[in-house]
Amino acid sequence: MSDSFFPVSSSLSVELERIAIQSHQLEVMSAYGHQMEQMYSARSLSGGSELRRSSFVLESGFYLTSFVATILVAALAAAGLLLITLLVSLAMMLQSCQSSHAGIIELQNINDDYNYCKVYSLHAKLNNLEGHNFPSLCKDLTIQYIKGGQYARDLDSTKSVMEDYFNNARPSDDGLDVVLIDIDGIISSNPLSSNLFQSIDNRILEAKNLKRMLVLRLYMNLQVGGWPIILLSREHGKHQNVTINHLLSAGFRGWSSLMMREDEDSSKGNECFSRQRNVIQTKGFRIRSIISSQLDALTVADRGIRLFLLPDPIFDKFEQQRRA
């Protein structure tokens, strides 16, 4: 019995020892696991904070790559530039509209004043009014009328009308059809008369040169067409030589006759021209046309005579006003 007990005890002891070893290993592993769990927990706590922060960032904003950010910035810059361009364009359009509106008003005022001066000038010519009655505001408009080129355009239009007539009219073969040209205002016998208003001297000279060139071209075309030409003037006959020199220096040559005033009274130009026309018709000539810049030379009852009024700036009235 004792022989069987000891083997049992020895085996049990071995088993108990093995169990003890395993228990110790389990304790060691448990301690290690507990330590690892603590380390993991600490990391988890730190990682959790980062995760929460990352989550907070993702919840409060959005993530952009550098390429997308570049495109977005460029788009915003382009939109801003477009907005600025639009504002500048609108400002310029507004300013242009305001300037245009102001220009229209100014042009309308100028046209109204000019029409008034033009009508008054015609009224003064019809009634032979004195120069001192002429409105002073017309002086600046006269300068603008010449400087702006409107006077040259009016002269050219008048020249076209006269050429249309003479291109379709032919003088008779007997040489008795004549054209009368009033040279006053075209050829001045007093070259200093243009200096009466110092502020418009250059414009007066420019206007007279334009008119002289137009009449000279028409004069030469009439000569080529075979028209006899008689020149008329309000100047007294004692200035005939001076007038002829002025005509020659201006390029006028080959006229049929030069008729000037014989009496001392020069206040009634219409009577002077009426007597000159009577003399011409008494000699058997037929007056086909009269060209002048003054109405007194065109006061004719005969409707068979074609009358042409040359456009004339109103500076002649200023000259009369200054002399008065």
Side-chain angles (χ1 to χ4, degrees), residues 49-62:
S49 177
E50 292 178 358
L51 180 62
R52 284 195 297 272
R53 285 197 298 269
S54 176
S55 175
F56 176 77
V57 171
L58 290 174
E59 290 176 357
S60 61
F62 53 90

Side-chain angles (χ1 to χ4, degrees), residues 189-315:
S189 60
N190 183 9
L192 299 179
S193 63
S194 300
N195 299 322
L196 297 176
F197 270 98
Q198 192 67 28
S199 61
I200 59 175
D201 283 350
N202 293 335
R203 300 307 169 191
I204 290 176
L205 181 60
E206 178 183 350
K208 288 188 174 183
N209 288 336
L210 288 173
K211 185 193 295 185
R212 183 173 64 251
M213 292 173 60
L214 177 141
V215 175
L216 179 59
R217 289 196 298 267
L218 178 65
Y219 179 89
M220 297 176 68
N221 290 337
L222 290 174
Q223 285 185 326
V224 172
W227 290 94
I229 302 174
I230 298 179
L231 306 180
L232 306 179
S233 176
R234 300 168 186 78
E235 294 289 338
H236 196 275
K238 62 184 178 182
H239 302 301
Q240 183 175 8
N241 292 334
V242 176
T243 302
I244 291 175
N245 290 334
H246 288 159
L247 286 168
L248 293 176
S249 63
F252 292 86
R253 292 176 175 82
W255 59 82
S256 298
S257 177
L258 172 62
M259 301 185 66
M260 305 183 70
R261 179 173 53 85
E262 297 179 356
D263 60 319
E264 295 296 333
D265 186 10
S266 59
S267 60
K268 297 181 179 180
N270 57 337
E271 295 181 1
C272 172
F273 284 112
S274 178
R275 289 194 296 268
Q276 290 175 344
R277 289 195 303 270
N278 289 335
V279 171
I280 293 172
Q281 291 173 337
T282 300
K283 293 182 178 180
F285 291 99
R286 295 181 295 269
I287 301 175
R288 294 287 300 274
S289 178
I290 302 176
I291 302 171
S292 176
S293 59
Q294 302 296 325
L295 290 177
D296 56 0
L298 304 176
T299 307
V300 182
D302 189 351
R303 296 191 177 185
I305 300 177
R306 182 59 62 94
L307 307 176
F308 294 104
L309 178 65
L310 297 174
D312 190 22
I314 52 182
F315 64 79

